[in-house]
Amino acid sequence: MDKVIVLAYDLGAVLIILMTMARSAQKGFATGIFQLVGRLAAFFGALFVAREGATIIYDSFLKTEVTSFLNRNLQGGQAAEIISQLQAGLDQLPQVLGNVLDMALDVDAITQAVSQGTSSLASVLEEAVIGPAVLGFVSVLLFTVCFALLGGLVRLLTSAIHFVFHSPSPILLPIDRFLGSVVGLLQASVNLYLVCILLRLAFYLFGGMRYCNQQIIMDTFILSKFYTFDPLSLFA
């Protein structure tokens, strides 16, 4: 059954690729290349804003709240006892926020934090365990909002470009559509990566489901390549 589900995900990825290529071929090369460049600019712009903005938001508004939460719910003890104490506190929070913090309740990470021998346990856990989880969550939210706004702007500009270049000469039309389909293949790659980002966010907030979880995605042939891809590695 799992193999059938994995195959269905790969077939869905192929369908996205073919549909994106067909739409890009219809729009033509000029519109397609502008849309691709615009989406890449929107992606990396949103990535930059998310990375820098999340730190500012966390330090300015959330760090004190996280530390207060830890102080209210910690009575010390071994790592397993600390996790039980924090888990009891998480049960009192809204479900989504509780899921985010619950992702940070790693026995090994907490053991390492506690072993630093500091008198301020809450401060160590905030800096080494809970804080990074909240920071990552804020970063994902910022990226989603910024990319949606920048993507909307790109779509508006793309419509204007398409209006100008929508009628190439009959001789150039086949070439224009072929080059448009090539650009569409690149656009499909961006689309699949964005799908994987949404899946990561869903797994992060709500956990995996029976037919939609990280293990199934990692078993796919196509989506697994995008799910594990780090775009910043291109600049390393």
Side-chain angles (χ1 to χ4, degrees):
M1 183 65 178
D2 287 344
K3 291 184 178 180
V4 175
I5 299 300
V6 170
L7 178 61
Y9 276 97
D10 274 328
L11 290 176
V14 171
L15 183 62
I16 290 175
I17 293 173
L18 293 178
M19 289 179 61
T20 306
M21 291 180 65
R23 290 186 61 185
S24 183
Q26 187 177 19
K27 291 179 179 179
F29 176 73
T31 303
I33 197 67
F34 181 85
Q35 187 175 41
L36 175 62
V37 172
R39 283 191 174 182
L40 289 176
F43 175 83
F44 286 107
L47 199 63
F48 174 79
V49 172
R51 177 166 296 185
E52 299 299 323
T55 302
I56 296 173
I57 291 175
Y58 179 76
D59 290 341
S60 301
F61 304 104
L62 301 178
K63 186 174 182 177
T64 302
E65 296 298 325
V66 171
T67 304
S68 298
F69 167 80
L70 293 173
N71 285 325
R72 287 196 307 269
N73 293 280
L74 287 179
Q75 290 84 42
Q78 300 298 316
E81 296 172 335
I82 292 172
I83 288 180
S84 297
Q85 295 164 14
L86 292 177
Q87 189 66 63
L90 294 181
D91 292 339
Q92 304 173 14
L93 298 176
Q95 181 179 4
V96 172
L97 181 58
N99 288 340
V100 172
L101 294 179
D102 189 49
M103 295 291 292
L105 298 187
D106 186 319
V107 175
D108 294 334
I110 291 180
T111 301
Q112 184 178 4
V114 175
S115 67
Q116 295 182 20
T118 178
S119 58
S120 179
L121 179 58
S123 177
V124 173
L125 292 178
E126 184 277 321
E127 292 179 1
V129 183
I130 305 297
V134 178
L135 190 63
F137 173 66
V138 174
S139 180
V140 170
L141 284 183
L142 274 180
F143 173 84
T144 303
V145 172
C146 290
F147 184 79
L149 293 175
L150 293 175
L153 178 60
V154 169
R155 282 192 293 272
L156 289 176
L157 295 176
T158 300
S159 299
I161 293 294
H162 181 64
F163 178 77
V164 175
F165 293 98
H166 75 288
S167 298
S169 66
I171 298 177
L172 297 178
L173 183 59
I175 299 176
D176 182 63
R177 292 195 170 179
F178 172 75
L179 294 177
S181 66
V182 173
V183 173
L185 180 60
L186 299 177
Q187 288 182 4
S189 299
V190 175
N191 291 342
L192 289 176
Y193 183 71
L194 294 176
V195 168
C196 288
I197 288 179
L198 293 177
L199 288 174
R200 278 180 176 274
L201 179 60
F203 299 155
Y204 191 73
L205 295 178
F206 309 109
M209 294 166 279
R210 182 176 181 182
Y211 298 120
C212 184
N213 55 64
Q214 182 168 287
Q215 186 57 54
I216 289 179
I217 300 301
M218 293 301 295
D219 289 340
T220 62
F221 179 74
I222 298 176
L223 285 179
S224 61
K225 306 298 189 299
F226 295 94
Y227 193 81
T228 58
F229 176 66
D230 179 9
L232 294 181
S233 64
L234 298 174
F235 305 97

